């Protein structure tokens, strides 16, 4: 299988790995591969269940992030984002505890990330990332 493109995935220390991907490679595959690489390096055992891939983009006042779903396709997101300034961040997350309230004080999901993206006609629009 030949890769159709590459994405750059950053770690919390701002180092990164460039990954060759197929257009339909899901986030799940990226997380599995990165965890295997971390575990193989001997630093520690990385469990895919406790790691996530985020997309980070400039917001109104600061950077905004959104956790990508396991079925999202990073190469497609990157292609649709065009020249938009964003990056993929891979990091460990603590498992959600059902007995603790959400940080906002309600049970609503976190703030959605709206990333400018080129539509089919080439026009830039802002909205929730959607893959078709």
């Amino acid at each position: 299988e030949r890769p159709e493109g590459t994405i750059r995935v950053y770690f919390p220390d701002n180092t990164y790995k460039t990954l060759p991907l197929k257009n339909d490679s899901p986030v799940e595959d990226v997380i599995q591969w990165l965890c295997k690489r971390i575990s193989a390096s001997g630093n520690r055992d990385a469990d895919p269940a406790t790691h996530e891939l985020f997309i980070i983009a400039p917001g109104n006042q600061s950077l905004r992030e959104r956790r990508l779903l396991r079925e999202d396709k990073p190469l497609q997101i990157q292609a649709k984002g065009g020249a938009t300034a964003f990056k993929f961040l891979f990091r460990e997350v603590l498992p959600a505890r059902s007995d603790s309230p959400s940080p906002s004080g309600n049970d609503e999901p976190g703030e959605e990330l709206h990333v400018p993206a080129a539509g089919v006609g080439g026009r830039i629009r802002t909205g929730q990332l959607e893959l078709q």
Side-chain angles (χ1 to χ4, degrees):
E1 290 184 33
R2 236 179 108 132
E4 297 169 339
T6 59
I7 64 166
R8 190 177 279 187
V9 178
Y10 287 83
F11 297 93
D13 65 359
N14 216 30
T15 59
Y16 65 88
K17 290 245 182 257
T18 301
L19 305 181
L21 295 178
K22 294 194 68 66
N23 218 20
D24 61 350
S25 297
V27 165
E28 177 71 32
D29 291 355
V30 172
I31 291 172
Q32 293 283 341
W33 189 86
L34 288 168
C35 284
K36 284 180 188 172
R37 290 290 299 247
I38 291 170
S39 297
S41 70
N43 291 345
R44 60 188 177 91
D45 189 33
D47 179 6
T50 61
H51 287 78
E52 298 290 348
L53 190 65
F54 294 83
I55 187 169
I56 298 188
N60 292 342
Q61 303 291 325
S62 61
L63 293 178
R64 298 171 61 181
E65 73 177 34
R66 179 176 72 88
R67 182 181 59 85
L68 295 176
L69 301 175
R70 296 286 172 133
E71 62 271 11
D72 284 341
K73 312 285 192 276
L75 196 56
Q76 292 178 18
I77 291 170
Q78 180 173 276
K80 287 186 178 191
T84 303
F86 69 85
K87 68 181 184 179
F88 295 106
L89 174 69
F90 176 76
R91 68 177 163 91
E92 190 168 15
V93 295
L94 297 173
R97 290 180 33 188
S98 60
D99 61 341
S100 63
S102 67
S104 61
N106 59 28
D107 291 330
E108 295 301 314
E111 185 175 320
E112 290 289 330
L113 174 66
H114 292 274
V115 176
V120 177
R123 292 184 24 207
I124 299 293
R125 63 182 182 84
T126 301
Q128 185 177 356
L129 290 176
E130 298 174 6
L131 300 177
Q132 299 175 10

